[in-house]
Amino acid sequence: MTEPIIFYDIPSKDSPSKAWSPNTWKTRFCLNVKGLPYKTVWVEYPDIAALIQKIGALPTDVNDDGTPYYSLPAIYDPNTRTALADSAAIVRYLDRTYPATHRLVPAHTDALHAAFGRGYSSLLTLSAIIVPQTVHLLPPRSAAYFRTTREAYYGKTLEEVSPPGSARRAELWAGVDKAFATYATWLAAGGVEQRFFLGEDIGYADVTIASILMWMRVVFGEESKEWKDVTTWDGGRWARHAEVFGKFEAVDVGEAAEI
Amino acid sequence: MTEPIIFYDIPSKDSPSKAWSPNTWKTRFCLNVKGLPYKTVWVEYPDIAALIQKIGALPTDVNDDGTPYYSLPAIYDPNTRTALADSAAIVRYLDRTYPATHRLVPAHTDALHAAFGRGYSSLLTLSAIIVPQTVHLLPPRSAAYFRTTREAYYGKTLEEVSPPGSARRAELWAGVDKAFATYATWLAAGGVEQRFFLGEDIGYADVTIASILMWMRVVFGEESKEWKDVTTWDGGRWARHAEVFGKFEAVDVGEAAEI
């Protein structure tokens, strides 16, 4: 490997000190855990589709109206001339292409990791709490795009989705607590409490959880009631999980995308 | 190992030729794949709680009113004097206690297997279709118990839940199709289509899917429109999956429980 990988991330108002997106954090953690050289290019929300098309990656999903859905993270690896979107595809590409680095989806865990992705997200009632606050972290163009698309999705203003102090918000937050409690039971399913999903080695499932924790820490803030709750759940295991990933949370200055 | 394990299963009107419960099938497949000697004891629904308490296994969940919830499968292993309920706990006990048999939850896959259990079930919209038909397979005492408890859960008669020909039923069945299509994508997540969740070796995730397929085959019948649909989904891969497990579907005559 001679040239750094280009890693496309979504900026916050305070980039690079605050990278916030749980989806792009999955890839950033993967790159950092593997110790692969990379350079961040910050792409504002309204530019994501054009950027993905420009680098030649594929859409990651299909919109309800049948049009392609483009999303970050994406990478361009100049060493292999590969453009790729979707964090789950990217981690497998990195495992395969750089076999001397820490493998995050070990042999025979591909399908179970894919099932994990559905399992953890099906329980997590976080979005309706955190999305309305995430908008305040974004630079103006991205904030406007984010607000328009998310308000169309929810069918109400972001401020109406789960207002602080509302019963709805309390119910959703109890759901997040319960989801993490369930993750803790998964980690003890073998009869002993495992440190990571694969035992003693960090894997992609752990990266996924760490990315959700990072989203909460950045959006709610370390002094928030929410983050304090998180750090007490399940005997402090999520605080320890975040701490382990503290070694892998470096964010480079990077540069703004040219579209 | 000198004495057969006692395996507690729920009878159908036609036991032993038709064992039907997807939960107990998980354990029966495990026992059959491992080739462990066992003997079935058939327990009617109204007797399950008393049976579990009699053998000294723990409840598997808590009812909404706070009372313990007892369920099958359960086993009693006279060789170790161990009574155990819950298929996920049983497979791990069998793996641990009989290490010379085929391991179904390999090392470092406990937590991912637990996440799989949530992931696959969160997608599956089968219950509201198949539960109303399952009642017709049960012997009278079990059928009455099953009807009362399930009608309380759905808040309507079983006949009203998803009547044949209804839009609701078509929508649910499309959901089952889509769920299996997603399982197929999980099995291809590594870039190649895997035969089983762990690659070439049968694991507990495959047993779980096989048990759902068995439930459909037994309740709908092999000549049904539903089973014919299933066998065509995803290029016939679920028909092949069921065929592989055909080697492991022996059901012994067993005996009725004495409560």
Side-chain angles (χ1 to χ4, degrees):
Chain A
M1 167 164 208
T2 51
E3 290 188 67
I5 291 166
I6 311 298
F7 165 53
Y8 298 96
D9 197 353
I10 306 169
S12 73
K13 281 190 299 195
D14 307 314
S15 301
S17 65
K18 282 188 184 172
W20 65 273
S21 158
N23 292 317
T24 62
W25 261 110
K26 282 186 268 185
T27 294
R28 187 182 292 280
F29 275 135
C30 289
L31 290 163
N32 286 346
V33 168
K34 286 174 170 293
L36 288 166
Y38 70 93
K39 189 174 73 177
T40 303
V41 170
W42 302 100
V43 188
E44 296 239 21
Y45 263 107
D47 302 329
I48 291 174
L51 181 281
I52 297 279
Q53 291 174 69
K54 179 182 153 189
I55 67 172
L58 294 174
T60 41
D61 210 338
V62 180
N63 293 310
D64 284 343
D65 64 4
T67 56
Y69 175 77
Y70 296 99
S71 65
L72 294 184
I75 61 164
Y76 177 74
D77 185 346
N79 305 288
T80 61
R81 299 187 185 179
T82 301
L84 205 59
D86 180 21
S87 55
I90 292 169
V91 65
R92 288 171 172 89
Y93 165 82
L94 297 174
D95 275 353
R96 198 167 54 237
T97 310
Y98 302 104
T101 63
H102 181 95
R103 189 162 180 180
L104 288 161
V105 183
H108 312 309
T109 69
D110 270 297
L112 288 177
H113 260 103
F116 162 84
R118 166 69 194 187
Y120 99 87
S121 65
S122 75
L123 291 168
L124 198 63
T125 56
L126 179 62
S127 295
I129 297 179
I130 201 169
V131 160
Q133 287 186 235
T134 298
V135 70
H136 302 300
L137 245 75
L138 302 177
R141 282 182 68 227
S142 285
Y145 181 95
F146 188 87
R147 178 176 286 278
T148 303
T149 51
R150 273 55 178 179
E151 291 188 345
Y153 171 79
Y154 287 113
K156 53 182 80 170
T157 68
L158 289 179
E159 287 68 23
E160 290 165 333
V161 174
S162 63
S166 65
R168 173 74 181 140
R169 188 183 174 95
E171 185 190 348
L172 290 165
W173 189 241
V176 179
D177 182 351
K178 199 173 163 193
F180 275 85
T182 301
Y183 308 156
T185 67
W186 294 349
L187 285 157
V192 289
E193 195 179 310
Q194 294 179 193
R195 196 161 171 226
F196 300 117
F197 273 81
L198 301 169
E200 284 303 309
D201 291 325
I202 288 177
Y204 185 60
D206 308 298
V207 164
T208 303
I209 301 281
S211 300
I212 297 295
L213 292 171
M214 179 63 90
W215 192 18
M216 292 198 277
R217 205 179 96 200
V218 170
V219 171
F220 296 136
E222 287 190 17
E223 299 307 315
S224 64
K225 163 81 165 61
E226 287 87 352
W227 184 249
K228 285 177 183 170
D229 282 353
V230 171
T231 59
T232 64
W233 289 343
D234 304 305
R237 83 163 294 151
W238 309 114
R240 293 193 295 278
H241 195 88
E243 202 180 316
V244 166
F245 277 83
K247 291 196 291 291
F248 306 117
E249 64 186 36
V251 181
D252 61 313
V253 173
E255 59 188 49
E258 291 173 26
I259 305 296
Chain B
M1 170 165 204
T2 53
E3 290 188 68
I5 291 167
I6 311 298
F7 165 54
Y8 298 96
D9 197 354
I10 306 168
S12 74
K13 281 189 299 195
D14 307 316
S15 302
S17 66
K18 282 188 183 172
W20 65 273
S21 158
N23 292 318
T24 61
W25 261 110
K26 282 186 269 184
T27 294
R28 186 182 293 279
F29 275 135
C30 289
L31 290 163
N32 287 347
V33 168
K34 287 174 170 292
L36 288 167
Y38 70 95
K39 189 176 72 177
T40 303
V41 171
W42 302 100
V43 188
E44 296 239 20
Y45 264 106
D47 302 328
I48 291 174
L51 181 282
I52 298 279
Q53 291 173 68
K54 179 182 153 190
I55 66 172
L58 295 173
T60 41
D61 209 340
V62 179
N63 292 310
D64 285 343
D65 64 4
T67 57
Y69 176 78
Y70 296 98
S71 64
L72 294 184
I75 61 165
Y76 177 75
D77 185 346
N79 305 287
T80 61
R81 300 187 185 180
T82 302
L84 204 60
D86 179 21
S87 56
I90 292 169
V91 64
R92 289 170 172 89
Y93 165 81
L94 297 174
D95 275 353
R96 198 167 55 237
T97 310
Y98 301 104
T101 64
H102 181 95
R103 188 162 180 180
L104 288 161
V105 183
H108 312 309
T109 69
D110 269 296
L112 288 176
H113 260 105
F116 163 84
R118 166 69 195 187
Y120 100 88
S121 65
S122 75
L123 290 167
L124 198 64
T125 56
L126 178 64
S127 296
I129 297 179
I130 202 167
V131 161
Q133 288 186 232
T134 298
V135 71
H136 303 298
L137 247 73
L138 302 179
R141 282 182 67 228
S142 286
Y145 182 94
F146 188 86
R147 179 176 285 279
T148 304
T149 51
R150 273 57 178 177
E151 292 189 345
Y153 171 79
Y154 287 113
K156 53 181 81 170
T157 69
L158 289 179
E159 287 68 22
E160 291 165 331
V161 173
S162 64
S166 66
R168 173 72 182 141
R169 188 183 173 94
E171 184 191 347
L172 290 165
W173 189 241
V176 179
D177 183 350
K178 199 173 164 192
F180 275 85
T182 300
Y183 308 156
T185 68
W186 294 348
L187 284 158
V192 290
E193 196 179 309
Q194 293 179 192
R195 197 163 170 224
F196 300 117
F197 273 81
L198 301 168
E200 284 303 308
D201 291 325
I202 288 178
Y204 185 60
D206 308 298
V207 164
T208 303
I209 300 281
S211 300
I212 297 294
L213 292 171
M214 180 63 90
W215 192 19
M216 291 198 278
R217 204 179 98 201
V218 171
V219 172
F220 296 136
E222 286 192 17
E223 300 306 316
S224 65
K225 163 81 167 61
E226 287 86 352
W227 184 250
K228 284 177 182 168
D229 282 354
V230 170
T231 59
T232 64
W233 289 343
D234 305 304
R237 85 162 297 152
W238 309 115
R240 294 193 295 279
H241 195 88
E243 203 179 314
V244 166
F245 278 83
K247 290 196 291 292
F248 306 116
E249 63 187 36
V251 181
D252 60 315
V253 174
E255 59 190 46
E258 290 171 30
I259 305 296

